[in-house]
Amino acid sequence: MEAFTTHTGRAVPLRRSNVDTDQIIPAVWLKQVSRTGFEKGLFAAWREDPGFVLNQPEYQGASILVAGPDFGTGSSREHAVWALQQYGFRAVVSARFGDIFRNNATKMGLLPIELPEDAVERLQDKIEANPAKEFTIDLERRELRCDEGGVQTFEIDDYTRWRLLEGLDDIGLTLRHADAITAFEQNRESWLPVTA
Amino acid sequence: MGRTLADKVYDAHVVRSAEGEPDVLYIDLHLIHEVTSPQAFDGLRMADRTVRRPDLTIATEDHNVPTTDILAPIADPVSRTQVETLRKNCAEFGVRLHPMGDAGQGIVHVIGPQLGLTQPGMTVVCGDSHTSTHGAFGALAFGIGTSEVEHVLATQTLSQRRPKMMAVTVDGELPYGVTAKDLILAIITKIGTGGGQGHVIEYRGEAIRSLSMEGRMTVCNMSIEAGARAGMIAPDETTFAYLEGRPHAPSGADWEAAKEYWRSLRTDDDATFDKEVVIDASELTPFVTWGTNPGQGAPLSASVPDPASFEDPTRRAAAERALEYMGLTAGTSLRDVAVDTVFVGSCTNGRIEDLRAVAEVIKGRKVADGVRMLVVPGSMKVKAQAEEEGLNEVFKAAGAEWREAGCSMCLGMNPDQLKPGERSASTSNRNFEGRQGKGGRTHLVSPAVAAATAVTGRLSAPADL
């Protein structure tokens, strides 16, 4: 996983609620068997509209997506996270995230930042007033800072923060407890089904 | 202090817990399909890891599979590659697979229960958000992403935090003609698409107890549409009766021992929930969606809402956008909304009881002119049973298309798709923009409403016929 410590970049406001993962990456893109090339499918249907915010020249190269509430609801497709990352996003800000999306994002090093809905809207106002404005995300301090000095703190649990800061792979961490897994398996009920 | 059903199942699977760290949670059953697994198997190969418990893993082909000509190679080369990749991965890592054409093939959430692999008190995961379906048996079952699929393949565990607990209690009796699908659509509209976020929902109350296993699966299936990763219902005699005699259910002395344990899987009287919602079943009527998220629903007897009627500006904006996408005008009676396509199927409503409900309505009637009706069984076993009961003949006589098993038009990864601007009444689970085909417009409905709608060509309930 890509480590996340601090990141400075421009942001793009996506003023829509319930941005489900079908919108982030439509199903036709899920037929790929590789992990790359999903940036082209990001918001594929919406990007066909020249008026869509990601098509505006002032937001090209932005790396922080500031979206309406309930971002990443619906399908479990991790392709949504891959598409956002491969397009160039390092963080998504929203008032609420779909549980599976949030989980997938933290496994891949895409930072989901949850802020109150009014704070997200103020942030969107600021970005629209000056799309060139830069923001810095400091995961160590749990801060989202604006280049003119505004600071917004966000919550993230210590363990997830540590794992993101270090860029640690969950499987490796779990395999440290392989003995405990083996011990657990020896005590499972005999009636539990096997597929073999 | 008492514990909830979900707490009990969770506690019984904690391999390791330590202050400040997520728990290591053991997984009893891992379901796999072609879409979310290829990159996970690649990850195993790159790290030189194996599948720890292939005997607790089972795979099927469902999302991409065509529902016609299933013995021919898949025409779409990209879909074909994905299905072939699953076959290679299962062969290489020793995972049991039900491929297209196999009598055991079907939608991943239909075949688990059908085989008796889904049992009370188990932990079940799959790289698919509708894994919540299996909670109908009192299992803790939830969807995961591809990174977690790889984690389960490698370790048979997940790194988890204890979820919060939410109770949705449905008191009273569902009126005649009101089904499990109407109930869950009404629940989602009431609590919203984020209402269950961070929680496991336990469905309780008289109306839930009265549901068949199929109905319970429909309810738990759509928990994710209310934001909850998992939905659960305490196992009872209905559960045991469904399981008894299934290929992977315990038998003999094991059956009695298992049942004794399963009976302990209920929320203690003194347990508390983090959130509680109570619904009166007797007030419910057939329910449909009008918008582009599953929380945008209304009774069939209502009209398309005026966005201005939503006080919350975010919901108002979402409603405005939804009406534009759906091509609907506020104030139009929902019963006046004409459809082009009726889709019956999916992991929400593709089981035998759902097909029977459709057949009961459509028997002796005709699909309206200009309407296409697709009936797609959830599994080959459901298909065989439906044919044994003669349901296929009922569908065909009415003018509907009877297809092979798969996810089909629920998400349109195979050729079963809506064209831009086409409108469907669909027994599936998501009315998202473009879900059933680019530009397609979806109204989520129950099987009975789907059948009545096929007959009239407009959103209808059986009572309207």
Side-chain angles (χ1 to χ4, degrees):
Chain A
M1 177 178 80
E2 197 177 350
F4 193 110
T5 50
T6 62
H7 171 74
T8 298
R10 286 179 290 113
V12 53
L14 179 60
R15 288 192 185 265
R16 291 185 191 184
S17 59
N18 272 291
V19 176
D20 58 76
T21 55
D22 273 74
Q23 305 317 314
I24 301 173
I25 184 99
V28 65
W29 289 87
L30 310 191
K31 297 181 185 185
Q32 307 298 327
V33 295
S34 71
R35 261 182 197 267
T36 53
F38 291 102
E39 67 278 6
K40 291 195 281 297
L42 180 72
F43 297 121
W46 292 351
R47 273 161 74 190
E48 287 181 11
D49 171 8
F52 182 56
V53 69
L54 283 193
N55 290 332
Q56 306 316 304
E58 62 271 30
Y59 294 120
Q60 298 312 302
S63 55
I64 303 164
L65 184 66
V66 183
D70 297 309
F71 185 88
T73 52
S75 158
S76 66
R77 58 189 72 171
E78 196 165 304
H79 313 65
V81 173
W82 304 338
L84 286 161
Q85 284 184 312
Q86 288 162 16
Y87 184 87
F89 287 113
R90 296 295 318 278
V92 183
V93 180
S94 175
R96 285 190 300 274
F97 290 95
D99 285 342
I100 305 178
F101 174 85
R102 182 212 304 267
N103 214 35
N104 291 342
T106 64
K107 302 292 177 195
M108 290 301 299
L110 175 74
L111 185 65
I113 298 178
E114 196 168 291
L115 294 179
E117 202 165 334
D118 55 348
V120 175
E121 281 169 18
R122 282 199 302 274
L123 207 52
Q124 290 172 330
D125 293 342
K126 269 190 194 179
I127 301 163
E128 283 168 359
N130 178 11
K133 194 186 289 291
E134 289 209 320
F135 295 85
T136 295
I137 297 162
D138 182 339
L139 180 58
E140 180 74 47
R141 300 173 63 136
R142 297 180 167 91
E143 283 177 0
L144 172 62
R145 294 193 292 266
C146 174
D147 59 3
E148 66 207 18
V151 178
Q152 183 80 48
T153 57
F154 57 87
E155 285 184 25
I156 183 167
D157 70 87
D158 289 340
Y159 184 85
T160 305
R161 174 168 147 275
W162 166 72
R163 218 171 38 72
L164 283 164
L165 287 170
E166 302 289 330
L168 293 173
D169 156 33
D170 252 358
I171 299 178
L173 291 172
T174 298
L175 285 174
R176 292 178 187 175
H177 310 301
D179 290 349
I181 299 172
T182 303
F184 182 92
E185 284 176 328
Q186 281 157 2
N187 289 314
R188 294 177 75 234
E189 295 292 353
S190 59
W191 72 69
L192 283 164
V194 291
T195 58
Chain B
M1 201 183 75
R3 293 184 299 159
T4 64
L5 163 62
D7 281 323
K8 290 181 184 181
V9 179
Y10 187 95
D11 289 343
H13 289 84
V14 175
V15 169
R16 175 187 181 272
S17 75
E19 184 66 30
E21 292 179 38
D23 299 325
V24 176
L25 194 75
Y26 199 80
I27 302 303
D28 290 321
L29 179 64
H30 187 192
L31 306 159
I32 285 177
H33 60 81
E34 75 275 16
V35 178
T36 56
S37 66
Q39 297 87 351
F41 281 111
D42 274 349
L44 288 185
R45 267 189 291 267
M46 282 194 297
D48 202 19
R49 289 172 175 145
T50 57
V51 176
R52 182 182 176 93
R53 294 296 300 266
D55 61 329
L56 302 183
T57 312
I58 188 167
T60 185
E61 298 167 1
D62 57 5
H63 284 63
N64 277 271
V65 304
T67 53
T68 53
D69 296 329
I70 55 161
L71 296 176
I74 300 179
D76 175 349
V78 194
S79 286
R80 187 166 72 229
T81 299
Q82 191 162 60
V83 166
E84 284 169 356
T85 302
L86 179 69
R87 291 176 189 177
K88 278 186 222 149
N89 284 331
C90 287
E92 179 181 341
F93 291 93
V95 173
R96 171 175 161 190
L97 168 69
H98 290 288
M100 280 166 62
D102 182 280
Q105 180 265 343
I107 305 176
V108 69
H109 309 308
V110 177
I111 69 163
Q114 165 185 299
L115 287 165
L117 282 168
T118 304
Q119 297 174 17
M122 288 174 62
T123 46
V124 180
V125 298
C126 174
D128 190 287
S129 60
H130 291 111
T131 309
S132 56
T133 312
H134 307 264
F137 292 80
L140 179 61
F142 50 92
I144 55 180
T146 298
S147 291
E148 290 190 314
V149 170
E150 185 180 337
H151 193 283
V152 178
L153 288 172
T155 71
Q156 202 57 35
T157 67
L158 275 176
S159 176
Q160 279 293 301
R161 287 182 187 281
R162 181 182 297 270
K164 286 183 281 187
M165 305 295 162
M166 177 171 181
V168 172
T169 304
V170 189
D171 290 328
E173 248 181 90
L174 287 174
Y176 179 78
V178 181
T179 68
K181 183 64 166 288
D182 302 306
L183 170 60
I184 188 63
L185 288 174
I187 290 172
I188 298 163
T189 291
K190 183 179 171 86
I191 70 176
T193 57
Q197 210 182 73
H199 293 74
V200 170
I201 297 177
E202 182 183 336
Y203 300 96
R204 303 150 59 84
E206 187 191 341
I208 299 293
R209 298 252 71 85
S210 305
L211 292 175
S212 66
M213 286 315 295
E214 283 87 348
R216 294 179 188 187
M217 284 189 255
T218 299
V219 169
C220 287
N221 172 275
M222 289 192 73
S223 301
I224 184 70
E225 271 61 65
R229 271 179 98 173
M232 294 177 89
I233 295 172
D236 58 12
E237 295 305 321
T238 304
T239 321
F240 309 152
Y242 180 96
L243 273 169
E244 193 168 11
R246 295 203 175 252
H248 291 273
S251 57
D254 277 349
W255 173 251
E256 294 307 321
K259 269 207 298 190
E260 193 185 324
Y261 172 60
W262 295 344
R263 287 203 171 96
S264 73
L265 296 174
R266 50 181 54 256
T267 293
D268 296 327
D269 291 341
D270 56 343
T272 55
F273 289 90
D274 300 290
K275 206 167 173 179
E276 290 193 65
V277 173
V278 178
I279 288 183
D280 180 357
S282 66
E283 291 177 355
L284 296 175
T285 55
F287 213 86
V288 302
T289 63
W290 49 265
T292 54
N293 75 57
Q296 292 175 322
L300 176 62
S301 55
S303 298
V304 175
D306 184 347
S309 66
F310 294 100
E311 270 181 43
D312 173 52
T314 305
R315 288 185 66 204
R316 192 185 313 140
E320 279 167 7
R321 190 177 157 75
L323 293 198
E324 190 189 328
Y325 180 86
M326 293 294 288
L328 292 172
T329 311
T332 307
S333 166
L334 285 166
R335 282 194 164 93
D336 288 337
V337 175
V339 305
D340 307 288
T341 295
V342 172
F343 171 65
V344 174
S346 85
C347 59
T348 311
N349 282 127
R351 286 172 286 267
I352 189 69
E353 187 180 284
D354 302 312
L355 302 189
R356 287 182 192 140
V358 171
E360 193 186 316
V361 174
I362 212 157
K363 189 169 189 173
R365 296 190 164 106
K366 289 279 181 200
V367 174
D369 285 345
V371 173
R372 164 174 71 146
M373 182 181 193
L374 254 63
V375 185
V376 182
S379 71
M380 292 306 275
K381 181 131 188 295
V382 169
K383 179 173 187 256
Q385 192 174 348
E387 290 180 352
E388 209 177 287
E389 296 178 17
L391 306 184
N392 57 322
E393 297 305 330
V394 173
F395 301 140
K396 285 194 271 190
E401 297 175 41
W402 175 239
R403 298 290 190 88
E404 310 285 347
C407 298
S408 180
M409 197 183 270
C410 174
L411 83 168
M413 277 189 79
N414 76 348
D416 306 335
Q417 296 181 19
L418 295 180
K419 293 192 188 74
E422 272 187 346
R423 186 182 300 280
S424 77
S426 177
T427 67
S428 57
N429 42 57
R430 288 184 176 140
N431 52 348
F432 298 155
E433 289 180 26
R435 170 80 176 181
Q436 297 190 290
K438 201 170 150 192
R441 296 160 168 167
T442 303
H443 295 273
L444 301 177
V445 301
S446 73
V449 168
T453 299
V455 172
T456 64
R458 299 181 311 280
L459 293 176
S460 307
D464 301 333
L465 299 179

